[in-house]
Amino acid sequence: MAYDNDNIFAKILRGEIPSEKLYEDDETYVFMDIMPRAEGHCLIIPKTPCRNMLDASDDQLTACLRTTRLMGHAVMKAFGAGGVTVQQFNEGVGGQEVFHLHYHVLPRHEGVSLRPPGKMEDMAVLKANADKIRAALAGM
Ligand code: 5GP
């Protein structure tokens, strides 16, 4: 399957759609998931195009995983979480909805289940949670 330059995350990377940015480096970009399944749910994407893990280069995977680890530490610190769930889906049958490689980072607390998917977060709440993560990153 070919990469679609007009997928939502490509538009976010080009600044055509707003996003609550948390972090970026030369190879990766991190922002809040607009329909979080846990408080602090964020997404790590490569700045260069690929649909998912199956067509990603070694460099894209390495860069994304490095940033995913960083964000795991950041969200644990920001929310006092006891652990982190990382999710990554490949193609529609594999659960993927947006076809630009992305890793979900979800801070977890004992006894708290993930929320069901598909519920848009209040933008003020999203920003407040983003502020907590940015503050945690600044202190790392
Ligand atoms: P997946 O492709 O891994 O199934 O999930 C795509 C994720 O992207 C979902 O968790 C969804 O909430 C998130 N998402 C979809 N559209 C947008 C958007 O426009 N902005 C942001 N920040 N997240 C989005």
Side-chain angles (χ1 to χ4, degrees), residues 8-9 12 17-20 31-37 41 43 87-91 94-100 102-104 117-120 126:
I8 293 167
F9 295 169
I12 283 176
I17 290 180
S19 64
E20 193 62 54
F31 55 104
M32 298 299 283
D33 194 300
I34 208 166
M35 292 176 267
R37 300 195 59 199
H41 180 175
L43 300 169
Q87 293 180 326
Q88 191 276 314
F89 304 105
N90 299 280
E91 298 301 334
Q96 186 175 10
E97 292 179 352
V98 179
F99 297 98
H100 180 109
H102 54 280
Y103 288 82
H104 299 254
K119 187 171 180 296
M120 197 74 83
L126 207 72

PDB file of all heavy atoms in Angstrom, residues 8-9 12 17-20 31-37 41 43 87-91 94-100 102-104 117-120 126, ligand 1:
ATOM      1  N   ILE A   8      -3.941  12.483   8.066  1.00  0.00           N
ATOM      2  CA  ILE A   8      -4.045  13.534   9.102  1.00  0.00           C
ATOM      3  C   ILE A   8      -2.700  13.879   9.721  1.00  0.00           C
ATOM      4  O   ILE A   8      -2.404  15.056   9.964  1.00  0.00           O
ATOM      5  CB  ILE A   8      -5.030  13.079  10.209  1.00  0.00           C
ATOM      6  CG1 ILE A   8      -6.449  12.984   9.652  1.00  0.00           C
ATOM      7  CG2 ILE A   8      -5.027  14.035  11.377  1.00  0.00           C
ATOM      8  CD1 ILE A   8      -7.413  12.256  10.581  1.00  0.00           C
ATOM      9  N   PHE A   9      -1.861  12.890   9.966  1.00  0.00           N
ATOM     10  CA  PHE A   9      -0.592  13.181  10.637  1.00  0.00           C
ATOM     11  C   PHE A   9       0.379  13.889   9.695  1.00  0.00           C
ATOM     12  O   PHE A   9       1.185  14.714  10.140  1.00  0.00           O
ATOM     13  CB  PHE A   9       0.014  11.916  11.235  1.00  0.00           C
ATOM     14  CG  PHE A   9      -0.807  11.314  12.355  1.00  0.00           C
ATOM     15  CD1 PHE A   9      -0.523  10.053  12.855  1.00  0.00           C
ATOM     16  CD2 PHE A   9      -1.866  12.006  12.920  1.00  0.00           C
ATOM     17  CE1 PHE A   9      -1.273   9.506  13.890  1.00  0.00           C
ATOM     18  CE2 PHE A   9      -2.636  11.465  13.952  1.00  0.00           C
ATOM     19  CZ  PHE A   9      -2.335  10.194  14.427  1.00  0.00           C
ATOM     20  N   ILE A  12      -0.646  17.363  10.022  1.00  0.00           N
ATOM     21  CA  ILE A  12      -0.148  17.920  11.291  1.00  0.00           C
ATOM     22  C   ILE A  12       1.330  18.288  11.138  1.00  0.00           C
ATOM     23  O   ILE A  12       1.752  19.380  11.536  1.00  0.00           O
ATOM     24  CB  ILE A  12      -0.376  16.912  12.440  1.00  0.00           C
ATOM     25  CG1 ILE A  12      -1.862  16.940  12.851  1.00  0.00           C
ATOM     26  CG2 ILE A  12       0.529  17.209  13.640  1.00  0.00           C
ATOM     27  CD1 ILE A  12      -2.254  15.922  13.909  1.00  0.00           C
ATOM     28  N   ILE A  17      -2.953  21.237  10.063  1.00  0.00           N
ATOM     29  CA  ILE A  17      -3.932  20.922  11.113  1.00  0.00           C
ATOM     30  C   ILE A  17      -3.225  21.179  12.439  1.00  0.00           C
ATOM     31  O   ILE A  17      -2.064  20.790  12.587  1.00  0.00           O
ATOM     32  CB  ILE A  17      -4.373  19.445  11.022  1.00  0.00           C
ATOM     33  CG1 ILE A  17      -5.234  19.238   9.780  1.00  0.00           C
ATOM     34  CG2 ILE A  17      -5.113  19.001  12.265  1.00  0.00           C
ATOM     35  CD1 ILE A  17      -5.707  17.794   9.626  1.00  0.00           C
ATOM     36  N   PRO A  18      -3.895  21.858  13.396  1.00  0.00           N
ATOM     37  CA  PRO A  18      -3.230  22.124  14.675  1.00  0.00           C
ATOM     38  C   PRO A  18      -3.018  20.852  15.489  1.00  0.00           C
ATOM     39  O   PRO A  18      -3.750  19.863  15.319  1.00  0.00           O
ATOM     40  CB  PRO A  18      -4.211  23.065  15.394  1.00  0.00           C
ATOM     41  CG  PRO A  18      -5.524  22.856  14.732  1.00  0.00           C
ATOM     42  CD  PRO A  18      -5.270  22.387  13.333  1.00  0.00           C
ATOM     43  N   SER A  19      -2.005  20.882  16.348  1.00  0.00           N
ATOM     44  CA  SER A  19      -1.787  19.775  17.280  1.00  0.00           C
ATOM     45  C   SER A  19      -1.197  20.339  18.554  1.00  0.00           C
ATOM     46  O   SER A  19      -0.590  21.414  18.540  1.00  0.00           O
ATOM     47  CB  SER A  19      -0.837  18.727  16.682  1.00  0.00           C
ATOM     48  OG  SER A  19       0.449  19.282  16.469  1.00  0.00           O
ATOM     49  N   GLU A  20      -1.399  19.625  19.654  1.00  0.00           N
ATOM     50  CA  GLU A  20      -0.833  20.030  20.949  1.00  0.00           C
ATOM     51  C   GLU A  20       0.551  19.398  21.052  1.00  0.00           C
ATOM     52  O   GLU A  20       0.713  18.269  21.515  1.00  0.00           O
ATOM     53  CB  GLU A  20      -1.775  19.570  22.069  1.00  0.00           C
ATOM     54  CG  GLU A  20      -1.483  20.179  23.419  1.00  0.00           C
ATOM     55  CD  GLU A  20      -1.630  21.689  23.473  1.00  0.00           C
ATOM     56  OE1 GLU A  20      -2.680  22.210  23.111  1.00  0.00           O
ATOM     57  OE2 GLU A  20      -0.657  22.345  23.885  1.00  0.00           O
ATOM     58  N   PHE A  31       2.868  14.641  19.954  1.00  0.00           N
ATOM     59  CA  PHE A  31       1.717  15.493  20.244  1.00  0.00           C
ATOM     60  C   PHE A  31       0.650  14.692  20.992  1.00  0.00           C
ATOM     61  O   PHE A  31       0.691  13.456  21.026  1.00  0.00           O
ATOM     62  CB  PHE A  31       1.145  16.085  18.944  1.00  0.00           C
ATOM     63  CG  PHE A  31       0.776  15.066  17.899  1.00  0.00           C
ATOM     64  CD1 PHE A  31      -0.549  14.732  17.675  1.00  0.00           C
ATOM     65  CD2 PHE A  31       1.756  14.421  17.141  1.00  0.00           C
ATOM     66  CE1 PHE A  31      -0.898  13.790  16.715  1.00  0.00           C
ATOM     67  CE2 PHE A  31       1.416  13.463  16.184  1.00  0.00           C
ATOM     68  CZ  PHE A  31       0.093  13.157  15.971  1.00  0.00           C
ATOM     69  N   MET A  32      -0.312  15.421  21.576  1.00  0.00           N
ATOM     70  CA  MET A  32      -1.373  14.767  22.338  1.00  0.00           C
ATOM     71  C   MET A  32      -2.348  14.070  21.402  1.00  0.00           C
ATOM     72  O   MET A  32      -2.729  14.628  20.357  1.00  0.00           O
ATOM     73  CB  MET A  32      -2.148  15.802  23.176  1.00  0.00           C
ATOM     74  CG  MET A  32      -1.327  16.525  24.219  1.00  0.00           C
ATOM     75  SD  MET A  32      -0.625  15.429  25.456  1.00  0.00           S
ATOM     76  CE  MET A  32      -2.067  15.106  26.486  1.00  0.00           C
ATOM     77  N   ASP A  33      -2.792  12.876  21.787  1.00  0.00           N
ATOM     78  CA  ASP A  33      -3.891  12.221  21.076  1.00  0.00           C
ATOM     79  C   ASP A  33      -5.175  12.981  21.414  1.00  0.00           C
ATOM     80  O   ASP A  33      -5.471  13.254  22.574  1.00  0.00           O
ATOM     81  CB  ASP A  33      -4.014  10.754  21.503  1.00  0.00           C
ATOM     82  CG  ASP A  33      -4.888   9.958  20.559  1.00  0.00           C
ATOM     83  OD1 ASP A  33      -6.081  10.319  20.399  1.00  0.00           O
ATOM     84  OD2 ASP A  33      -4.403   8.976  19.981  1.00  0.00           O
ATOM     85  N   ILE A  34      -5.928  13.318  20.366  1.00  0.00           N
ATOM     86  CA  ILE A  34      -7.125  14.152  20.546  1.00  0.00           C
ATOM     87  C   ILE A  34      -8.267  13.368  21.205  1.00  0.00           C
ATOM     88  O   ILE A  34      -9.196  13.961  21.765  1.00  0.00           O
ATOM     89  CB  ILE A  34      -7.539  14.750  19.172  1.00  0.00           C
ATOM     90  CG1 ILE A  34      -8.267  16.061  19.329  1.00  0.00           C
ATOM     91  CG2 ILE A  34      -8.320  13.768  18.341  1.00  0.00           C
ATOM     92  CD1 ILE A  34      -8.376  16.833  18.016  1.00  0.00           C
ATOM     93  N   MET A  35      -8.198  12.037  21.144  1.00  0.00           N
ATOM     94  CA  MET A  35      -9.210  11.181  21.791  1.00  0.00           C
ATOM     95  C   MET A  35      -8.495  10.229  22.749  1.00  0.00           C
ATOM     96  O   MET A  35      -8.382   9.012  22.506  1.00  0.00           O
ATOM     97  CB  MET A  35     -10.005  10.401  20.733  1.00  0.00           C
ATOM     98  CG  MET A  35     -10.876  11.289  19.876  1.00  0.00           C
ATOM     99  SD  MET A  35     -11.733  10.412  18.552  1.00  0.00           S
ATOM    100  CE  MET A  35     -10.570  10.613  17.210  1.00  0.00           C
ATOM    101  N   PRO A  36      -7.972  10.778  23.862  1.00  0.00           N
ATOM    102  CA  PRO A  36      -7.087   9.989  24.731  1.00  0.00           C
ATOM    103  C   PRO A  36      -7.793   8.830  25.413  1.00  0.00           C
ATOM    104  O   PRO A  36      -8.918   8.963  25.878  1.00  0.00           O
ATOM    105  CB  PRO A  36      -6.603  11.016  25.761  1.00  0.00           C
ATOM    106  CG  PRO A  36      -7.643  12.079  25.761  1.00  0.00           C
ATOM    107  CD  PRO A  36      -8.196  12.128  24.369  1.00  0.00           C
ATOM    108  N   ARG A  37      -7.084   7.706  25.484  1.00  0.00           N
ATOM    109  CA  ARG A  37      -7.616   6.531  26.178  1.00  0.00           C
ATOM    110  C   ARG A  37      -7.071   6.454  27.602  1.00  0.00           C
ATOM    111  O   ARG A  37      -7.418   5.546  28.360  1.00  0.00           O
ATOM    112  CB  ARG A  37      -7.303   5.267  25.379  1.00  0.00           C
ATOM    113  CG  ARG A  37      -7.942   5.338  23.981  1.00  0.00           C
ATOM    114  CD  ARG A  37      -7.960   4.001  23.322  1.00  0.00           C
ATOM    115  NE  ARG A  37      -8.705   3.054  24.143  1.00  0.00           N
ATOM    116  CZ  ARG A  37      -8.592   1.736  24.032  1.00  0.00           C
ATOM    117  NH1 ARG A  37      -7.745   1.220  23.150  1.00  0.00           N
ATOM    118  NH2 ARG A  37      -9.303   0.946  24.790  1.00  0.00           N
ATOM    119  N   HIS A  41      -2.268  10.542  27.201  1.00  0.00           N
ATOM    120  CA  HIS A  41      -2.062   9.711  25.996  1.00  0.00           C
ATOM    121  C   HIS A  41      -1.446  10.569  24.883  1.00  0.00           C
ATOM    122  O   HIS A  41      -2.019  11.571  24.469  1.00  0.00           O
ATOM    123  CB  HIS A  41      -3.432   9.178  25.572  1.00  0.00           C
ATOM    124  CG  HIS A  41      -3.445   8.315  24.357  1.00  0.00           C
ATOM    125  ND1 HIS A  41      -4.594   7.686  23.915  1.00  0.00           N
ATOM    126  CD2 HIS A  41      -2.486   7.966  23.460  1.00  0.00           C
ATOM    127  CE1 HIS A  41      -4.348   6.981  22.827  1.00  0.00           C
ATOM    128  NE2 HIS A  41      -3.073   7.155  22.519  1.00  0.00           N
ATOM    129  N   LEU A  43       1.209  10.676  21.118  1.00  0.00           N
ATOM    130  CA  LEU A  43       1.571   9.957  19.889  1.00  0.00           C
ATOM    131  C   LEU A  43       2.947  10.407  19.416  1.00  0.00           C
ATOM    132  O   LEU A  43       3.234  11.608  19.385  1.00  0.00           O
ATOM    133  CB  LEU A  43       0.547  10.251  18.785  1.00  0.00           C
ATOM    134  CG  LEU A  43      -0.904   9.848  19.093  1.00  0.00           C
ATOM    135  CD1 LEU A  43      -1.857  10.435  18.043  1.00  0.00           C
ATOM    136  CD2 LEU A  43      -1.050   8.334  19.150  1.00  0.00           C
ATOM    137  N   GLN A  87       1.368   1.227  22.356  1.00  0.00           N
ATOM    138  CA  GLN A  87       0.604   0.525  21.315  1.00  0.00           C
ATOM    139  C   GLN A  87       1.042   1.003  19.947  1.00  0.00           C
ATOM    140  O   GLN A  87       1.386   2.184  19.765  1.00  0.00           O
ATOM    141  CB  GLN A  87      -0.897   0.797  21.464  1.00  0.00           C
ATOM    142  CG  GLN A  87      -1.507   0.202  22.719  1.00  0.00           C
ATOM    143  CD  GLN A  87      -2.999   0.492  22.812  1.00  0.00           C
ATOM    144  OE1 GLN A  87      -3.466   1.541  22.394  1.00  0.00           O
ATOM    145  NE2 GLN A  87      -3.744  -0.444  23.362  1.00  0.00           N
ATOM    146  N   GLN A  88       0.997   0.092  18.978  1.00  0.00           N
ATOM    147  CA  GLN A  88       1.358   0.448  17.596  1.00  0.00           C
ATOM    148  C   GLN A  88       0.647  -0.533  16.674  1.00  0.00           C
ATOM    149  O   GLN A  88       0.816  -1.741  16.800  1.00  0.00           O
ATOM    150  CB  GLN A  88       2.888   0.393  17.428  1.00  0.00           C
ATOM    151  CG  GLN A  88       3.409   0.993  16.137  1.00  0.00           C
ATOM    152  CD  GLN A  88       3.354   0.010  14.987  1.00  0.00           C
ATOM    153  OE1 GLN A  88       3.748  -1.136  15.141  1.00  0.00           O
ATOM    154  NE2 GLN A  88       2.860   0.474  13.850  1.00  0.00           N
ATOM    155  N   PHE A  89      -0.183  -0.021  15.767  1.00  0.00           N
ATOM    156  CA  PHE A  89      -1.043  -0.855  14.924  1.00  0.00           C
ATOM    157  C   PHE A  89      -0.598  -0.781  13.465  1.00  0.00           C
ATOM    158  O   PHE A  89      -0.120   0.270  13.009  1.00  0.00           O
ATOM    159  CB  PHE A  89      -2.499  -0.402  15.052  1.00  0.00           C
ATOM    160  CG  PHE A  89      -2.998  -0.395  16.473  1.00  0.00           C
ATOM    161  CD1 PHE A  89      -3.152   0.803  17.159  1.00  0.00           C
ATOM    162  CD2 PHE A  89      -3.271  -1.576  17.134  1.00  0.00           C
ATOM    163  CE1 PHE A  89      -3.601   0.813  18.478  1.00  0.00           C
ATOM    164  CE2 PHE A  89      -3.715  -1.582  18.452  1.00  0.00           C
ATOM    165  CZ  PHE A  89      -3.888  -0.383  19.128  1.00  0.00           C
ATOM    166  N   ASN A  90      -0.797  -1.888  12.732  1.00  0.00           N
ATOM    167  CA  ASN A  90      -0.319  -1.967  11.353  1.00  0.00           C
ATOM    168  C   ASN A  90      -1.423  -2.404  10.399  1.00  0.00           C
ATOM    169  O   ASN A  90      -1.899  -3.538  10.491  1.00  0.00           O
ATOM    170  CB  ASN A  90       0.871  -2.928  11.280  1.00  0.00           C
ATOM    171  CG  ASN A  90       2.011  -2.432  12.146  1.00  0.00           C
ATOM    172  OD1 ASN A  90       2.756  -1.549  11.758  1.00  0.00           O
ATOM    173  ND2 ASN A  90       2.114  -2.955  13.352  1.00  0.00           N
ATOM    174  N   GLU A  91      -1.807  -1.473   9.520  1.00  0.00           N
ATOM    175  CA  GLU A  91      -2.879  -1.651   8.528  1.00  0.00           C
ATOM    176  C   GLU A  91      -4.251  -1.765   9.223  1.00  0.00           C
ATOM    177  O   GLU A  91      -4.344  -2.001  10.419  1.00  0.00           O
ATOM    178  CB  GLU A  91      -2.604  -2.850   7.618  1.00  0.00           C
ATOM    179  CG  GLU A  91      -1.328  -2.691   6.788  1.00  0.00           C
ATOM    180  CD  GLU A  91      -1.335  -1.454   5.872  1.00  0.00           C
ATOM    181  OE1 GLU A  91      -2.418  -0.988   5.480  1.00  0.00           O
ATOM    182  OE2 GLU A  91      -0.244  -0.936   5.563  1.00  0.00           O
ATOM    183  N   GLY A  94      -5.094  -4.634  11.280  1.00  0.00           N
ATOM    184  CA  GLY A  94      -4.316  -4.651  12.523  1.00  0.00           C
ATOM    185  C   GLY A  94      -4.746  -3.573  13.497  1.00  0.00           C
ATOM    186  O   GLY A  94      -4.100  -3.381  14.528  1.00  0.00           O
ATOM    187  N   GLY A  95      -5.804  -2.825  13.166  1.00  0.00           N
ATOM    188  CA  GLY A  95      -6.315  -1.812  14.085  1.00  0.00           C
ATOM    189  C   GLY A  95      -5.869  -0.391  13.785  1.00  0.00           C
ATOM    190  O   GLY A  95      -6.198   0.529  14.530  1.00  0.00           O
ATOM    191  N   GLN A  96      -5.125  -0.206  12.690  1.00  0.00           N
ATOM    192  CA  GLN A  96      -4.615   1.131  12.364  1.00  0.00           C
ATOM    193  C   GLN A  96      -5.700   1.962  11.678  1.00  0.00           C
ATOM    194  O   GLN A  96      -6.411   1.463  10.793  1.00  0.00           O
ATOM    195  CB  GLN A  96      -3.392   1.007  11.442  1.00  0.00           C
ATOM    196  CG  GLN A  96      -2.707   2.331  11.163  1.00  0.00           C
ATOM    197  CD  GLN A  96      -1.429   2.174  10.338  1.00  0.00           C
ATOM    198  OE1 GLN A  96      -1.148   1.097   9.807  1.00  0.00           O
ATOM    199  NE2 GLN A  96      -0.666   3.243  10.236  1.00  0.00           N
ATOM    200  N   GLU A  97      -5.801   3.234  12.098  1.00  0.00           N
ATOM    201  CA  GLU A  97      -6.793   4.139  11.495  1.00  0.00           C
ATOM    202  C   GLU A  97      -6.134   5.283  10.744  1.00  0.00           C
ATOM    203  O   GLU A  97      -6.700   5.794   9.773  1.00  0.00           O
ATOM    204  CB  GLU A  97      -7.729   4.684  12.570  1.00  0.00           C
ATOM    205  CG  GLU A  97      -8.630   3.588  13.145  1.00  0.00           C
ATOM    206  CD  GLU A  97      -9.562   4.080  14.233  1.00  0.00           C
ATOM    207  OE1 GLU A  97      -9.428   5.239  14.658  1.00  0.00           O
ATOM    208  OE2 GLU A  97     -10.404   3.279  14.666  1.00  0.00           O
ATOM    209  N   VAL A  98      -4.970   5.715  11.215  1.00  0.00           N
ATOM    210  CA  VAL A  98      -4.237   6.794  10.528  1.00  0.00           C
ATOM    211  C   VAL A  98      -2.955   6.178   9.969  1.00  0.00           C
ATOM    212  O   VAL A  98      -2.150   5.607  10.718  1.00  0.00           O
ATOM    213  CB  VAL A  98      -3.914   7.954  11.487  1.00  0.00           C
ATOM    214  CG1 VAL A  98      -3.127   9.031  10.755  1.00  0.00           C
ATOM    215  CG2 VAL A  98      -5.189   8.534  12.085  1.00  0.00           C
ATOM    216  N   PHE A  99      -2.766   6.340   8.655  1.00  0.00           N
ATOM    217  CA  PHE A  99      -1.703   5.581   7.974  1.00  0.00           C
ATOM    218  C   PHE A  99      -0.404   6.374   7.809  1.00  0.00           C
ATOM    219  O   PHE A  99       0.095   6.581   6.708  1.00  0.00           O
ATOM    220  CB  PHE A  99      -2.256   5.014   6.658  1.00  0.00           C
ATOM    221  CG  PHE A  99      -3.379   4.049   6.916  1.00  0.00           C
ATOM    222  CD1 PHE A  99      -4.700   4.462   6.822  1.00  0.00           C
ATOM    223  CD2 PHE A  99      -3.109   2.748   7.353  1.00  0.00           C
ATOM    224  CE1 PHE A  99      -5.734   3.586   7.114  1.00  0.00           C
ATOM    225  CE2 PHE A  99      -4.141   1.866   7.648  1.00  0.00           C
ATOM    226  CZ  PHE A  99      -5.457   2.290   7.520  1.00  0.00           C
ATOM    227  N   HIS A 100       0.096   6.826   8.955  1.00  0.00           N
ATOM    228  CA  HIS A 100       1.455   7.370   9.108  1.00  0.00           C
ATOM    229  C   HIS A 100       1.951   6.737  10.400  1.00  0.00           C
ATOM    230  O   HIS A 100       1.266   6.878  11.443  1.00  0.00           O
ATOM    231  CB  HIS A 100       1.419   8.900   9.188  1.00  0.00           C
ATOM    232  CG  HIS A 100       2.773   9.538   9.350  1.00  0.00           C
ATOM    233  ND1 HIS A 100       3.392  10.255   8.338  1.00  0.00           N
ATOM    234  CD2 HIS A 100       3.616   9.560  10.405  1.00  0.00           C
ATOM    235  CE1 HIS A 100       4.567  10.684   8.761  1.00  0.00           C
ATOM    236  NE2 HIS A 100       4.732  10.283  10.022  1.00  0.00           N
ATOM    237  N   HIS A 102       2.876   5.548  13.852  1.00  0.00           N
ATOM    238  CA  HIS A 102       2.799   6.222  15.146  1.00  0.00           C
ATOM    239  C   HIS A 102       2.800   5.210  16.279  1.00  0.00           C
ATOM    240  O   HIS A 102       2.297   4.096  16.147  1.00  0.00           O
ATOM    241  CB  HIS A 102       1.570   7.136  15.252  1.00  0.00           C
ATOM    242  CG  HIS A 102       0.268   6.462  14.964  1.00  0.00           C
ATOM    243  ND1 HIS A 102      -0.169   6.232  13.681  1.00  0.00           N
ATOM    244  CD2 HIS A 102      -0.692   5.966  15.794  1.00  0.00           C
ATOM    245  CE1 HIS A 102      -1.349   5.625  13.720  1.00  0.00           C
ATOM    246  NE2 HIS A 102      -1.681   5.442  14.986  1.00  0.00           N
ATOM    247  N   TYR A 103       3.384   5.637  17.390  1.00  0.00           N
ATOM    248  CA  TYR A 103       3.403   4.875  18.631  1.00  0.00           C
ATOM    249  C   TYR A 103       2.538   5.625  19.640  1.00  0.00           C
ATOM    250  O   TYR A 103       2.691   6.830  19.806  1.00  0.00           O
ATOM    251  CB  TYR A 103       4.829   4.743  19.177  1.00  0.00           C
ATOM    252  CG  TYR A 103       5.680   3.795  18.347  1.00  0.00           C
ATOM    253  CD1 TYR A 103       6.286   4.230  17.181  1.00  0.00           C
ATOM    254  CD2 TYR A 103       5.845   2.467  18.721  1.00  0.00           C
ATOM    255  CE1 TYR A 103       7.047   3.369  16.398  1.00  0.00           C
ATOM    256  CE2 TYR A 103       6.603   1.598  17.955  1.00  0.00           C
ATOM    257  CZ  TYR A 103       7.193   2.054  16.796  1.00  0.00           C
ATOM    258  OH  TYR A 103       7.934   1.187  16.034  1.00  0.00           O
ATOM    259  N   HIS A 104       1.615   4.886  20.278  1.00  0.00           N
ATOM    260  CA  HIS A 104       0.811   5.444  21.363  1.00  0.00           C
ATOM    261  C   HIS A 104       1.573   5.243  22.667  1.00  0.00           C
ATOM    262  O   HIS A 104       2.045   4.128  22.934  1.00  0.00           O
ATOM    263  CB  HIS A 104      -0.516   4.697  21.506  1.00  0.00           C
ATOM    264  CG  HIS A 104      -1.413   4.743  20.312  1.00  0.00           C
ATOM    265  ND1 HIS A 104      -2.562   5.514  20.275  1.00  0.00           N
ATOM    266  CD2 HIS A 104      -1.362   4.110  19.113  1.00  0.00           C
ATOM    267  CE1 HIS A 104      -3.176   5.340  19.113  1.00  0.00           C
ATOM    268  NE2 HIS A 104      -2.468   4.489  18.389  1.00  0.00           N
ATOM    269  N   PRO A 117     -12.158   3.776  23.006  1.00  0.00           N
ATOM    270  CA  PRO A 117     -11.666   4.708  21.991  1.00  0.00           C
ATOM    271  C   PRO A 117     -12.778   5.619  21.464  1.00  0.00           C
ATOM    272  O   PRO A 117     -13.961   5.335  21.643  1.00  0.00           O
ATOM    273  CB  PRO A 117     -11.160   3.784  20.874  1.00  0.00           C
ATOM    274  CG  PRO A 117     -11.877   2.498  21.075  1.00  0.00           C
ATOM    275  CD  PRO A 117     -12.232   2.400  22.526  1.00  0.00           C
ATOM    276  N   GLY A 118     -12.356   6.735  20.846  1.00  0.00           N
ATOM    277  CA  GLY A 118     -13.302   7.525  20.053  1.00  0.00           C
ATOM    278  C   GLY A 118     -13.975   8.680  20.752  1.00  0.00           C
ATOM    279  O   GLY A 118     -14.861   9.312  20.186  1.00  0.00           O
ATOM    280  N   LYS A 119     -13.583   9.019  21.991  1.00  0.00           N
ATOM    281  CA  LYS A 119     -14.220  10.160  22.662  1.00  0.00           C
ATOM    282  C   LYS A 119     -13.277  11.362  22.665  1.00  0.00           C
ATOM    283  O   LYS A 119     -12.194  11.312  23.246  1.00  0.00           O
ATOM    284  CB  LYS A 119     -14.605   9.785  24.099  1.00  0.00           C
ATOM    285  CG  LYS A 119     -15.420  10.864  24.784  1.00  0.00           C
ATOM    286  CD  LYS A 119     -15.973  10.390  26.117  1.00  0.00           C
ATOM    287  CE  LYS A 119     -16.793  11.461  26.810  1.00  0.00           C
ATOM    288  NZ  LYS A 119     -16.022  12.659  27.183  1.00  0.00           N
ATOM    289  N   MET A 120     -13.712  12.422  22.008  1.00  0.00           N
ATOM    290  CA  MET A 120     -12.909  13.639  21.897  1.00  0.00           C
ATOM    291  C   MET A 120     -12.721  14.273  23.278  1.00  0.00           C
ATOM    292  O   MET A 120     -13.677  14.383  24.049  1.00  0.00           O
ATOM    293  CB  MET A 120     -13.646  14.623  20.974  1.00  0.00           C
ATOM    294  CG  MET A 120     -12.806  15.745  20.435  1.00  0.00           C
ATOM    295  SD  MET A 120     -11.694  15.196  19.152  1.00  0.00           S
ATOM    296  CE  MET A 120     -12.808  15.235  17.736  1.00  0.00           C
ATOM    297  N   LEU A 126      -6.986  18.819  27.552  1.00  0.00           N
ATOM    298  CA  LEU A 126      -5.854  18.334  26.742  1.00  0.00           C
ATOM    299  C   LEU A 126      -4.637  19.241  26.933  1.00  0.00           C
ATOM    300  O   LEU A 126      -3.504  18.771  27.097  1.00  0.00           O
ATOM    301  CB  LEU A 126      -6.273  18.297  25.266  1.00  0.00           C
ATOM    302  CG  LEU A 126      -5.547  17.297  24.388  1.00  0.00           C
ATOM    303  CD1 LEU A 126      -5.993  15.875  24.716  1.00  0.00           C
ATOM    304  CD2 LEU A 126      -5.820  17.580  22.913  1.00  0.00           C
TER     305      LEU A 126
HETATM  306  P1  5GP B   1      -4.532   4.205  15.244  1.00  0.00           P
HETATM  307  O1  5GP B   1      -4.290   4.558  13.795  1.00  0.00           O
HETATM  308  O2  5GP B   1      -3.301   3.765  15.949  1.00  0.00           O
HETATM  309  O3  5GP B   1      -5.666   3.236  15.418  1.00  0.00           O
HETATM  310  O4  5GP B   1      -5.048   5.480  15.995  1.00  0.00           O
HETATM  311  C1  5GP B   1      -4.936   6.780  15.518  1.00  0.00           C
HETATM  312  C2  5GP B   1      -4.998   7.715  16.705  1.00  0.00           C
HETATM  313  O5  5GP B   1      -4.965   9.043  16.208  1.00  0.00           O
HETATM  314  C3  5GP B   1      -6.267   7.590  17.560  1.00  0.00           C
HETATM  315  O6  5GP B   1      -5.896   7.319  18.901  1.00  0.00           O
HETATM  316  C4  5GP B   1      -6.959   8.932  17.409  1.00  0.00           C
HETATM  317  O7  5GP B   1      -7.565   9.362  18.603  1.00  0.00           O
HETATM  318  C5  5GP B   1      -5.833   9.853  16.981  1.00  0.00           C
HETATM  319  N1  5GP B   1      -6.249  10.938  16.116  1.00  0.00           N
HETATM  320  C6  5GP B   1      -7.067  10.840  15.043  1.00  0.00           C
HETATM  321  N2  5GP B   1      -7.215  12.058  14.459  1.00  0.00           N
HETATM  322  C7  5GP B   1      -6.470  12.934  15.175  1.00  0.00           C
HETATM  323  C8  5GP B   1      -6.211  14.331  15.044  1.00  0.00           C
HETATM  324  O8  5GP B   1      -6.708  15.021  14.167  1.00  0.00           O
HETATM  325  N3  5GP B   1      -5.382  14.874  15.975  1.00  0.00           N
HETATM  326  C9  5GP B   1      -4.820  14.149  16.981  1.00  0.00           C
HETATM  327  N4  5GP B   1      -4.022  14.800  17.827  1.00  0.00           N
HETATM  328  N5  5GP B   1      -5.028  12.829  17.121  1.00  0.00           N
HETATM  329  C10 5GP B   1      -5.844  12.224  16.232  1.00  0.00           C
END
